[in-house]
Amino acid sequence: MSITQNRKATHEFHVEERFEAGLVLEGWEVKSIRAGRAQINEAYVVVRGSELFLLNAHIGTLPTTSTHVHAEPTRTRKLLLRAEEIRRLIGKVERAGYTLVPLDLHFLHGRVKLSLGLAKGKRQFEKRAAEQERDWKREQNRLLKQRSK
């Protein structure tokens, strides 16, 4: 069940591989995510040492959050992957010029997971071409619907 998606990611990047990572979250964050108060539009993944971290993901606080807990909506959250996957991703990011992009935040068996994409950035003309192709397909569908009536 998808919670939120990063729609800009597919427009800005060519996603070549997808990975699923767990997140280190606090209790109030899980409650907020279940209430639908999460955004990953401006989020990105960085490598620090031999670990991956999610930065700038916004998880809004609930009004029922405890008063003695200082809730920081955009704190840095650690990503949980297998060691061999982390090593492979770090190698691709550092040597091959790839970027790690958060694609989707979802539930899997009651746990919050993040879909990561190993991606390369699109150039401006590629973005325009993709947009023109999308518009053309939309126009084709519109014409086909008119013909069938």
Side-chain angles (χ1 to χ4, degrees), residues 21-40:
L23 288 160
V24 176
L25 298 172
E26 295 177 359
W28 69 268
E29 292 174 322
V30 176
K31 288 182 179 182
S32 294
I33 289 171
R34 287 193 185 281
R37 292 180 167 247
Q39 278 186 332
I40 58 170

Side-chain angles (χ1 to χ4, degrees), residues 10-66:
T10 55
H11 179 70
E12 301 281 330
F13 298 96
H14 288 290
V15 178
E16 294 184 9
E17 282 186 71
R18 291 177 181 260
F19 295 90
E20 192 168 73
L23 288 160
V24 176
L25 298 172
E26 295 177 359
W28 69 268
E29 292 174 322
V30 176
K31 288 182 179 182
S32 294
I33 289 171
R34 287 193 185 281
R37 292 180 167 247
Q39 278 186 332
I40 58 170
N41 293 339
E42 301 297 321
Y44 57 97
V45 178
V46 295
V47 176
R48 290 187 188 155
S50 61
E51 296 176 332
L52 301 176
F53 291 92
L54 178 68
L55 275 73
N56 217 17
H58 189 276
I59 299 177
T61 59
L62 291 172
T64 57
T65 304
S66 177

